[in-house]
Amino acid sequence: MRTTYREAVREAIREAMRADSRVFLMGEDVGRYGGAFGVSLGLLEEFGPDRIRDTPLSESAFTGAGIGAAIGGMRPIVEIMTVNFSLLALDQIMNNAATLRHMSNGQIGVPLVIRMTTGAGRQLAAQHSHSLEGWYSHIPGLRILAPATVADARGMLAPALADPDPVLIFEHGSLYNTEGELPESIPTCDISSAAIGRTGTDVTVITYGGTMPAVISAADELATLGISAEVVDLRVLRPLNDATIMQSVRKTHRAVVVDEGWRSGSLSAEVSARITEQAFFDLDAPVMRVCTEEVPIPYAKHLEEAALPRPERIVRTARELVGR
Amino acid sequence: MTRASSKRAAAAQAAEPDFVQLLTPDGQRVTHPEYSVDFSDEELRGLYRDLVTVRKLDAEATALQRQGELGIWASLLGQEAAQVGSGRALREQDMAFPTYREHGVLYCRGIDPIMPLGLFRGVDQGGWDPIANKFGIYTIVIGAQTLHATGYAMGVAKDGKVGGDEGESVIAYFGDGATSQGDVNEAFIFASVYNAPIVFFCQNNQYAISEPLTRQTRVPLYQRASGFGFPGIRVDGNDVLATFAVTRAALDNARHGNGPTLIEAYTYRMGAHTTSDDPTRYRVASEVEEWQAKDPILRLRKYLESTGLIDEAFVTEVDAYAREEAVKLRERVLTLPDPEPGEMFKHVYPNGSPEVDQQAAEFAAYHASFEGAHS
């Protein structure tokens, strides 16, 4: 069945709500409007306002309320319009959701799922476009997911809701209209491993989420140059699945990390450090990174495009590594 | 919602809101025991010209966005009186902190109306000098500017610039949606306990994107002020005279050292939240029509015509003036140059930074590698 990433997320929510009366969706514009990015269109009509809850403009409040409902036995899905807005709820996410199990001597868990849109590419300027999932992956107590494919957009929500701890799902805004094939019967999805997006032998390109299309495009371009790139889709940003990364690097001996986050103090730095720690003697070249330029995301379209990791930059970096 | 509570909500909506009004939707001049205006005939005609012009310029900006010339535009359609009334009430020394929709206030501050279009075209990040023009940068983050305005007002008080007719006031603009944000409530607390010379000007346009007023509050917004310890007042935001009178009084109160006021300007967003939004998804046409009957420009026109202050020739002349301004605006917007690609590295730090400088140099080399590239 051919479907979009957006429809896949919607179907996942629909399925979860049909399967479990404890599940409900809460956030700004999720009801009548159908979500700022159209994910929840039609769900209000099917499930009613008690389970598809339009909220006031209070990110900290509806995230904190989600925590309370989760502690009380519900299985809330909180939608935050963009990752930039999640900063208003950062105290609830970091100082509360992520710590309550520890601070209660294991007595209280927070089985909460927070979905949010991340990333640039839609000309929404520096206060709606950042990629801060790397920040969140710094925090113990959270599980961080970044579905890059339609299959993961469809499959990750159920195991996230089954997780006894808070799970954050980052949906890149540029992926909602992407399409993919889904089987009629949705297979069980794991939220612990990375995946090989494409097999190759010359260089490993490690990425996740919204930069996947640029990486695939770069891999296509490299193939025409006779360079075989293996693509690792991290999928889960915390905890990182080291084994899949190292297995690939041991095969290709070269690695490029592509991340829409900024380079300094980033998730790409973490991946690079782990490769150096665990696979140093398998490397034939330094680990390289292609990230967003270290500027607030520009608003002007051509500047925004220039700031983001482009296929051309990925190709150039990979070619430098293999020397061709 | 239970049947009883939905009935109550419907009844509350149907009831005429309790607000200060000096000009009815039919253009009848009415009096208020506390608020009045004493405009000259010329000033009244000037207000009409302001309203018509800001609406026309706004419509031009919306059209430019639809034609792909602006990235996005947040229209003020329907809120002209709230913005012109409050904007003209500002004294030269007063400082305003806008959201991203205050094009009418910007106009009243005497700022070139092309400035916000340059911003939304992606030419610059806001071309006006906030200090020289006493008008802050457009704030996209909902409600954040209320705290900036409060801090600014606390600074004004600390500098001893309050306490007389020449005192300085600050006005913070925000919408009904923002009243649910923590920042706005914290701004109320700070302004209150520090007795800051500030006016909180809430344009209640009934919607926060799709969320209706009933999703933000159960009490009229202006009544919230009493819980924070300062006065709140509701004004007919489609009545430019009442909005002026109420705002001028609140600003004067602040400049004399008497602390903050919350003004709820009761109005309606006739257009979309921004050009990215489709309001037909969450509101019915009949509601929009109801508000059309309360149009801010039409009522002033009716009043001025009925008193003989303006005639058809004047109306035609103002329309022609506004149209000409809009055409000029369009022509100038189309000639605005795209920023150079390297521009994005500017203004990250005032004196550069090793990381950014290195990336800027790499980018410049990459860009220069294209045939026909200009430096």
Side-chain angles (χ1 to χ4, degrees):
Chain A
M1 180 181 58
R2 194 126 190 107
T3 185
T4 65
Y5 186 99
R6 176 184 288 106
E7 287 161 355
V9 176
R10 185 186 305 142
E11 278 313 304
I13 297 171
R14 179 176 280 136
E15 178 190 64
M17 295 198 44
R18 284 179 179 166
D20 186 344
S21 63
R22 298 174 303 169
V23 176
F24 67 98
L25 176 71
M26 171 161 68
E28 293 160 353
D29 301 303
V30 299
R32 283 199 292 180
Y33 197 67
F37 295 90
V39 169
S40 53
L41 266 179
L43 296 182
L44 175 68
E45 290 73 8
E46 179 173 349
F47 296 103
D50 273 353
R51 297 187 70 197
I52 303 292
R53 290 187 169 244
D54 272 323
T55 67
L57 268 69
S58 314
E59 285 79 4
S60 186
F62 62 71
T63 304
I67 291 171
I71 290 171
M74 301 295 283
R75 290 293 178 272
I77 304 170
V78 164
E79 175 175 313
I80 300 179
M81 203 182 289
T82 80
V83 65
N84 286 80
F85 301 2
S86 77
L87 303 183
L88 291 159
L90 198 51
D91 185 69
Q92 288 296 337
I93 297 170
M94 181 170 172
N95 276 334
N96 292 280
T99 62
L100 285 178
R101 181 176 297 284
H102 179 82
M103 298 292 283
S104 68
N105 199 28
Q107 297 184 86
I108 293 171
V110 182
L112 169 69
V113 171
I114 303 175
R115 297 174 38 247
M116 59 184 110
T117 303
T118 187
R122 290 153 294 131
Q123 235 202 320
L124 293 175
Q127 289 155 338
H128 289 63
S129 302
H130 286 136
S131 293
L132 304 179
E133 52 277 5
W135 268 14
Y136 283 106
S137 67
H138 182 63
I139 303 168
L142 302 180
R143 182 181 292 273
I144 310 296
L145 309 180
T149 63
V150 168
D152 277 345
R154 178 68 180 83
M156 280 180 157
L157 182 66
L161 282 164
D163 196 291
D165 289 314
V167 178
L168 273 56
I169 305 180
F170 289 89
E171 299 160 9
H172 196 287
S174 67
L175 293 176
Y176 284 124
N177 289 332
T178 57
E179 291 188 5
E181 284 294 329
L182 278 184
E184 284 303 322
S185 170
I186 303 300
T188 309
C189 178
D190 84 76
I191 50 169
S192 54
S193 66
I196 302 297
R198 172 182 297 201
T199 53
T201 52
D202 297 330
V203 57
T204 298
V205 184
I206 301 155
T207 194
Y208 66 90
T211 34
M212 185 57 76
V215 166
I216 293 297
S217 162
D220 288 342
E221 170 75 15
L222 287 166
T224 67
L225 300 166
I227 297 169
S228 164
E230 177 147 301
V231 177
V232 173
D233 175 2
L234 291 174
R235 298 180 67 247
V236 184
L237 309 186
R238 186 183 186 98
L240 278 171
N241 175 212
D242 295 350
T244 304
I245 301 169
M246 302 314 154
Q247 208 172 4
S248 179
V249 172
R250 289 196 179 103
K251 182 171 75 172
T252 65
H253 309 294
R254 297 170 184 86
V256 181
V257 188
V258 180
D259 181 3
E260 198 178 299
W262 294 296
R263 190 169 65 179
S264 300
S266 66
L267 184 70
S268 67
E270 178 63 30
V271 172
S272 171
R274 288 188 189 206
I275 294 170
T276 311
E277 286 165 352
Q278 298 175 40
F280 181 76
F281 295 106
D282 291 292
L283 287 172
D284 282 348
V287 179
M288 300 295 280
R289 289 181 283 162
V290 178
C291 301
T292 291
E293 304 285 9
E294 306 240 343
V295 301
I297 298 291
Y299 169 70
K301 195 171 172 50
H302 64 300
L303 300 190
E304 182 180 32
E305 282 168 8
L308 298 174
R310 300 179 305 278
E312 174 279 332
R313 276 171 65 197
I314 301 165
V315 168
R316 191 156 39 111
T317 306
R319 290 183 69 183
E320 276 171 32
L321 280 188
V322 297
R324 276 188 264 157
Chain B
M1 197 183 264
T2 63
R3 180 172 295 183
S5 71
S6 78
K7 257 190 187 164
R8 269 202 305 278
Q13 269 178 357
E16 187 67 6
D18 177 23
F19 53 32
V20 178
Q21 189 179 63
L22 297 177
L23 199 56
T24 69
D26 299 334
Q28 300 295 314
R29 186 74 169 77
V30 290
T31 57
H32 188 275
E34 286 173 60
Y35 295 96
S36 61
V37 288
D38 56 350
F39 287 118
S40 69
D41 295 352
E42 201 45 48
E43 285 169 335
L44 285 169
R45 284 191 282 262
L47 285 175
Y48 178 77
R49 185 182 299 273
D50 287 344
L51 293 173
V52 171
T53 305
V54 300
R55 175 173 290 185
K56 187 68 191 166
L57 296 178
D58 180 77
E60 194 61 44
T62 300
L64 282 162
Q65 194 283 334
R66 294 295 183 220
Q67 292 156 10
E69 300 294 345
L70 303 180
I72 195 170
W73 184 252
S75 169
L76 63 65
L77 185 63
Q79 300 174 219
E80 296 87 353
Q83 295 198 12
V84 169
S86 61
R88 287 293 177 215
L90 292 168
R91 301 264 298 271
E92 203 181 329
Q93 69 268 30
D94 296 339
M95 178 71 186
F97 285 82
T99 72
Y100 43 79
R101 205 188 297 281
E102 266 66 71
H103 324 306
V105 185
L106 176 141
Y107 182 84
C108 292
R109 292 263 84 179
I111 297 170
D112 186 340
I114 199 170
M115 292 294 182
L117 281 83
L119 172 65
F120 287 111
R121 189 172 165 83
V123 172
D124 55 47
Q125 298 279 20
W128 64 90
D129 180 338
I131 304 301
N133 291 287
K134 291 275 184 178
F135 185 78
I137 60 166
Y138 274 4
T139 303
I140 312 292
V141 180
I142 304 299
Q145 74 284 1
T146 58
L147 281 168
H148 310 157
T150 299
Y152 186 99
M154 288 161 64
V156 168
K158 186 172 179 299
D159 283 350
K161 292 181 184 165
V162 292
D165 286 346
E166 295 314 307
E168 197 175 319
S169 280
V170 178
I171 189 165
Y173 287 90
F174 56 103
D176 44 297
T179 64
S180 297
Q181 289 286 356
D183 279 6
V184 174
N185 289 274
E186 291 172 28
F188 288 172
I189 292 167
F190 269 64
S192 172
V193 301
Y194 290 105
N195 200 42
I198 186 169
V199 175
F200 292 107
F201 192 91
C202 176
Q203 284 169 86
N204 174 0
N205 69 11
Q206 314 297 328
Y207 285 94
I209 307 187
S210 79
E211 304 291 3
L213 185 63
T214 49
R215 206 24 119 230
Q216 314 298 341
T217 189
R218 282 183 67 165
V219 298
L221 289 172
Y222 74 98
Q223 289 180 4
R224 290 213 188 146
S226 69
F228 291 94
F230 54 87
I233 185 159
R234 180 151 63 183
V235 64
D236 182 346
N238 283 13
D239 172 353
V240 69
L241 304 183
T243 303
F244 179 94
V246 166
T247 311
R248 176 52 69 85
L251 288 167
D252 285 346
N253 200 47
R255 83 176 80 257
H256 280 94
N258 299 322
T261 302
L262 169 62
I263 297 174
E264 177 188 359
Y266 202 78
T267 181
Y268 193 77
R269 190 188 79 210
M270 295 300 292
H273 165 66
T274 69
T275 43
S276 304
D277 165 38
D278 171 14
T280 62
R281 270 156 77 173
Y282 52 83
R283 65 187 193 192
V284 293
S286 60
E287 179 185 294
V288 181
E289 281 161 23
E290 242 174 72
W291 278 91
Q292 249 153 11
K294 303 177 193 171
D295 186 78
I297 299 184
L298 206 57
R299 75 173 71 181
L300 183 63
R301 179 178 161 179
K302 280 180 182 165
Y303 167 63
L304 296 179
E305 282 176 341
S306 69
T307 51
L309 285 177
I310 64 172
D311 55 16
E312 207 182 316
F314 179 82
V315 170
T316 309
E317 184 272 313
V318 168
D319 282 346
Y321 169 81
R323 202 163 46 242
E324 209 173 294
E325 291 296 300
V327 169
K328 275 193 271 183
L329 186 68
R330 158 175 292 267
E331 284 167 356
R332 291 171 65 205
V333 166
L334 297 181
T335 62
L336 287 174
D338 279 345
E340 289 297 326
E343 279 279 315
M344 67 174 152
F345 296 102
K346 289 185 181 168
H347 310 307
V348 182
Y349 297 95
N351 303 311
S353 161
E355 270 283 347
V356 180
D357 295 348
Q358 186 198 335
Q359 290 183 355
E362 284 168 8
F363 182 81
Y366 164 68
H367 196 248
S369 72
F370 290 100
E371 212 172 309
H374 47 114
S375 57

